[in-house]
Amino acid sequence: MVRPQDQEPDEQWRMTVNLLAIIAVLLMIGAGFWLLRELDAAKKAQECLASAARHQCRQIR
C-alpha cells in the first residue's frame, strides 16, 4: 500500500515530539532525584542540629 506524501511530515513531526517528551521526562526524573538528595541532606543536618550533641555534627556535604 502506497502512502500519500502528506503523511510523511506528520510521522516525522510525531517522532520529534515523542523524542522531546522522552527528554523532558528524563530531565524531570533527574531533577526529582537531585531534589530528594538535597532534601535528605537538609533533613540530616536539621536532625544533627536538633540533637544534644551539636559539637559532634560534621558537615554533611
PDB file of all heavy atoms in Angstrom, residues 11-27:
ATOM      1  N   GLU A  11       4.462  12.032  10.377  1.00  0.00           N
ATOM      2  CA  GLU A  11       5.149  10.973  11.108  1.00  0.00           C
ATOM      3  C   GLU A  11       6.475  11.484  11.674  1.00  0.00           C
ATOM      4  O   GLU A  11       6.839  11.159  12.805  1.00  0.00           O
ATOM      5  CB  GLU A  11       5.371   9.766  10.209  1.00  0.00           C
ATOM      6  CG  GLU A  11       4.101   9.021   9.856  1.00  0.00           C
ATOM      7  CD  GLU A  11       4.339   7.885   8.892  1.00  0.00           C
ATOM      8  OE1 GLU A  11       5.501   7.485   8.712  1.00  0.00           O
ATOM      9  OE2 GLU A  11       3.347   7.393   8.325  1.00  0.00           O
ATOM     10  N   GLN A  12       7.179  12.264  10.892  1.00  0.00           N
ATOM     11  CA  GLN A  12       8.446  12.829  11.379  1.00  0.00           C
ATOM     12  C   GLN A  12       8.185  13.795  12.533  1.00  0.00           C
ATOM     13  O   GLN A  12       8.932  13.808  13.509  1.00  0.00           O
ATOM     14  CB  GLN A  12       9.176  13.536  10.245  1.00  0.00           C
ATOM     15  CG  GLN A  12       9.708  12.588   9.202  1.00  0.00           C
ATOM     16  CD  GLN A  12      10.310  13.320   8.013  1.00  0.00           C
ATOM     17  OE1 GLN A  12      10.214  14.526   7.915  1.00  0.00           O
ATOM     18  NE2 GLN A  12      10.924  12.563   7.120  1.00  0.00           N
ATOM     19  N   TRP A  13       7.138  14.596  12.424  1.00  0.00           N
ATOM     20  CA  TRP A  13       6.803  15.540  13.497  1.00  0.00           C
ATOM     21  C   TRP A  13       6.419  14.779  14.764  1.00  0.00           C
ATOM     22  O   TRP A  13       6.829  15.141  15.856  1.00  0.00           O
ATOM     23  CB  TRP A  13       5.680  16.457  13.052  1.00  0.00           C
ATOM     24  CG  TRP A  13       5.214  17.371  14.135  1.00  0.00           C
ATOM     25  CD1 TRP A  13       4.020  17.344  14.777  1.00  0.00           C
ATOM     26  CD2 TRP A  13       5.954  18.450  14.726  1.00  0.00           C
ATOM     27  NE1 TRP A  13       3.961  18.321  15.722  1.00  0.00           N
ATOM     28  CE2 TRP A  13       5.138  19.015  15.714  1.00  0.00           C
ATOM     29  CE3 TRP A  13       7.224  18.966  14.516  1.00  0.00           C
ATOM     30  CZ2 TRP A  13       5.559  20.094  16.492  1.00  0.00           C
ATOM     31  CZ3 TRP A  13       7.629  20.036  15.288  1.00  0.00           C
ATOM     32  CH2 TRP A  13       6.804  20.583  16.253  1.00  0.00           C
ATOM     33  N   ARG A  14       5.662  13.719  14.614  1.00  0.00           N
ATOM     34  CA  ARG A  14       5.250  12.921  15.766  1.00  0.00           C
ATOM     35  C   ARG A  14       6.461  12.289  16.443  1.00  0.00           C
ATOM     36  O   ARG A  14       6.562  12.257  17.667  1.00  0.00           O
ATOM     37  CB  ARG A  14       4.269  11.842  15.313  1.00  0.00           C
ATOM     38  CG  ARG A  14       3.540  11.194  16.458  1.00  0.00           C
ATOM     39  CD  ARG A  14       2.469  10.254  15.996  1.00  0.00           C
ATOM     40  NE  ARG A  14       2.300  10.262  14.554  1.00  0.00           N
ATOM     41  CZ  ARG A  14       1.715   9.301  13.870  1.00  0.00           C
ATOM     42  NH1 ARG A  14       1.258   8.250  14.489  1.00  0.00           N
ATOM     43  NH2 ARG A  14       1.590   9.358  12.567  1.00  0.00           N
ATOM     44  N   MET A  15       7.415  11.796  15.655  1.00  0.00           N
ATOM     45  CA  MET A  15       8.623  11.209  16.214  1.00  0.00           C
ATOM     46  C   MET A  15       9.435  12.271  16.965  1.00  0.00           C
ATOM     47  O   MET A  15       9.938  12.017  18.062  1.00  0.00           O
ATOM     48  CB  MET A  15       9.485  10.583  15.118  1.00  0.00           C
ATOM     49  CG  MET A  15      10.707   9.856  15.665  1.00  0.00           C
ATOM     50  SD  MET A  15      11.818   9.240  14.396  1.00  0.00           S
ATOM     51  CE  MET A  15      10.740   8.254  13.412  1.00  0.00           C
ATOM     52  N   THR A  16       9.521  13.466  16.397  1.00  0.00           N
ATOM     53  CA  THR A  16      10.245  14.555  17.057  1.00  0.00           C
ATOM     54  C   THR A  16       9.585  14.917  18.373  1.00  0.00           C
ATOM     55  O   THR A  16      10.258  15.097  19.397  1.00  0.00           O
ATOM     56  CB  THR A  16      10.298  15.787  16.130  1.00  0.00           C
ATOM     57  OG1 THR A  16      10.924  15.418  14.911  1.00  0.00           O
ATOM     58  CG2 THR A  16      11.069  16.913  16.775  1.00  0.00           C
ATOM     59  N   VAL A  17       8.272  15.019  18.370  1.00  0.00           N
ATOM     60  CA  VAL A  17       7.545  15.361  19.601  1.00  0.00           C
ATOM     61  C   VAL A  17       7.715  14.257  20.637  1.00  0.00           C
ATOM     62  O   VAL A  17       7.903  14.542  21.831  1.00  0.00           O
ATOM     63  CB  VAL A  17       6.059  15.622  19.286  1.00  0.00           C
ATOM     64  CG1 VAL A  17       5.246  15.727  20.558  1.00  0.00           C
ATOM     65  CG2 VAL A  17       5.914  16.879  18.448  1.00  0.00           C
ATOM     66  N   ASN A  18       7.690  13.005  20.221  1.00  0.00           N
ATOM     67  CA  ASN A  18       7.887  11.896  21.158  1.00  0.00           C
ATOM     68  C   ASN A  18       9.284  11.926  21.773  1.00  0.00           C
ATOM     69  O   ASN A  18       9.443  11.697  22.977  1.00  0.00           O
ATOM     70  CB  ASN A  18       7.660  10.560  20.461  1.00  0.00           C
ATOM     71  CG  ASN A  18       6.199  10.285  20.200  1.00  0.00           C
ATOM     72  OD1 ASN A  18       5.330  10.887  20.824  1.00  0.00           O
ATOM     73  ND2 ASN A  18       5.912   9.407  19.258  1.00  0.00           N
ATOM     74  N   LEU A  19      10.300  12.219  20.961  1.00  0.00           N
ATOM     75  CA  LEU A  19      11.660  12.318  21.498  1.00  0.00           C
ATOM     76  C   LEU A  19      11.788  13.469  22.485  1.00  0.00           C
ATOM     77  O   LEU A  19      12.423  13.329  23.534  1.00  0.00           O
ATOM     78  CB  LEU A  19      12.665  12.480  20.356  1.00  0.00           C
ATOM     79  CG  LEU A  19      12.913  11.231  19.514  1.00  0.00           C
ATOM     80  CD1 LEU A  19      13.809  11.568  18.326  1.00  0.00           C
ATOM     81  CD2 LEU A  19      13.529  10.130  20.344  1.00  0.00           C
ATOM     82  N   LEU A  20      11.171  14.590  22.165  1.00  0.00           N
ATOM     83  CA  LEU A  20      11.196  15.724  23.098  1.00  0.00           C
ATOM     84  C   LEU A  20      10.475  15.386  24.403  1.00  0.00           C
ATOM     85  O   LEU A  20      10.918  15.785  25.485  1.00  0.00           O
ATOM     86  CB  LEU A  20      10.578  16.964  22.450  1.00  0.00           C
ATOM     87  CG  LEU A  20      11.398  17.588  21.330  1.00  0.00           C
ATOM     88  CD1 LEU A  20      10.614  18.714  20.666  1.00  0.00           C
ATOM     89  CD2 LEU A  20      12.722  18.099  21.860  1.00  0.00           C
ATOM     90  N   ALA A  21       9.391  14.641  24.311  1.00  0.00           N
ATOM     91  CA  ALA A  21       8.666  14.232  25.510  1.00  0.00           C
ATOM     92  C   ALA A  21       9.519  13.295  26.367  1.00  0.00           C
ATOM     93  O   ALA A  21       9.545  13.418  27.595  1.00  0.00           O
ATOM     94  CB  ALA A  21       7.350  13.565  25.126  1.00  0.00           C
ATOM     95  N   ILE A  22      10.227  12.375  25.725  1.00  0.00           N
ATOM     96  CA  ILE A  22      11.102  11.458  26.468  1.00  0.00           C
ATOM     97  C   ILE A  22      12.212  12.233  27.165  1.00  0.00           C
ATOM     98  O   ILE A  22      12.527  11.982  28.329  1.00  0.00           O
ATOM     99  CB  ILE A  22      11.671  10.377  25.524  1.00  0.00           C
ATOM    100  CG1 ILE A  22      10.559   9.408  25.112  1.00  0.00           C
ATOM    101  CG2 ILE A  22      12.814   9.620  26.175  1.00  0.00           C
ATOM    102  CD1 ILE A  22      10.959   8.451  24.013  1.00  0.00           C
ATOM    103  N   ILE A  23      12.800  13.190  26.466  1.00  0.00           N
ATOM    104  CA  ILE A  23      13.855  14.010  27.066  1.00  0.00           C
ATOM    105  C   ILE A  23      13.314  14.799  28.249  1.00  0.00           C
ATOM    106  O   ILE A  23      13.960  14.877  29.302  1.00  0.00           O
ATOM    107  CB  ILE A  23      14.476  14.937  26.002  1.00  0.00           C
ATOM    108  CG1 ILE A  23      15.275  14.110  24.997  1.00  0.00           C
ATOM    109  CG2 ILE A  23      15.356  16.002  26.643  1.00  0.00           C
ATOM    110  CD1 ILE A  23      15.725  14.880  23.783  1.00  0.00           C
ATOM    111  N   ALA A  24      12.114  15.364  28.105  1.00  0.00           N
ATOM    112  CA  ALA A  24      11.515  16.134  29.199  1.00  0.00           C
ATOM    113  C   ALA A  24      11.257  15.243  30.417  1.00  0.00           C
ATOM    114  O   ALA A  24      11.517  15.648  31.557  1.00  0.00           O
ATOM    115  CB  ALA A  24      10.212  16.782  28.730  1.00  0.00           C
ATOM    116  N   VAL A  25      10.771  14.033  30.185  1.00  0.00           N
ATOM    117  CA  VAL A  25      10.506  13.108  31.301  1.00  0.00           C
ATOM    118  C   VAL A  25      11.809  12.726  31.991  1.00  0.00           C
ATOM    119  O   VAL A  25      11.884  12.698  33.234  1.00  0.00           O
ATOM    120  CB  VAL A  25       9.740  11.861  30.793  1.00  0.00           C
ATOM    121  CG1 VAL A  25       9.721  10.764  31.839  1.00  0.00           C
ATOM    122  CG2 VAL A  25       8.327  12.245  30.399  1.00  0.00           C
ATOM    123  N   LEU A  26      12.856  12.450  31.214  1.00  0.00           N
ATOM    124  CA  LEU A  26      14.144  12.098  31.821  1.00  0.00           C
ATOM    125  C   LEU A  26      14.721  13.258  32.625  1.00  0.00           C
ATOM    126  O   LEU A  26      15.287  13.042  33.711  1.00  0.00           O
ATOM    127  CB  LEU A  26      15.135  11.656  30.741  1.00  0.00           C
ATOM    128  CG  LEU A  26      14.824  10.313  30.073  1.00  0.00           C
ATOM    129  CD1 LEU A  26      15.799  10.056  28.932  1.00  0.00           C
ATOM    130  CD2 LEU A  26      14.854   9.188  31.084  1.00  0.00           C
ATOM    131  N   LEU A  27      14.565  14.474  32.134  1.00  0.00           N
ATOM    132  CA  LEU A  27      15.025  15.644  32.896  1.00  0.00           C
ATOM    133  C   LEU A  27      14.247  15.801  34.199  1.00  0.00           C
ATOM    134  O   LEU A  27      14.829  16.118  35.239  1.00  0.00           O
ATOM    135  CB  LEU A  27      14.892  16.911  32.044  1.00  0.00           C
ATOM    136  CG  LEU A  27      15.924  17.090  30.942  1.00  0.00           C
ATOM    137  CD1 LEU A  27      15.567  18.299  30.077  1.00  0.00           C
ATOM    138  CD2 LEU A  27      17.307  17.249  31.535  1.00  0.00           C
TER     139      LEU A  27
END
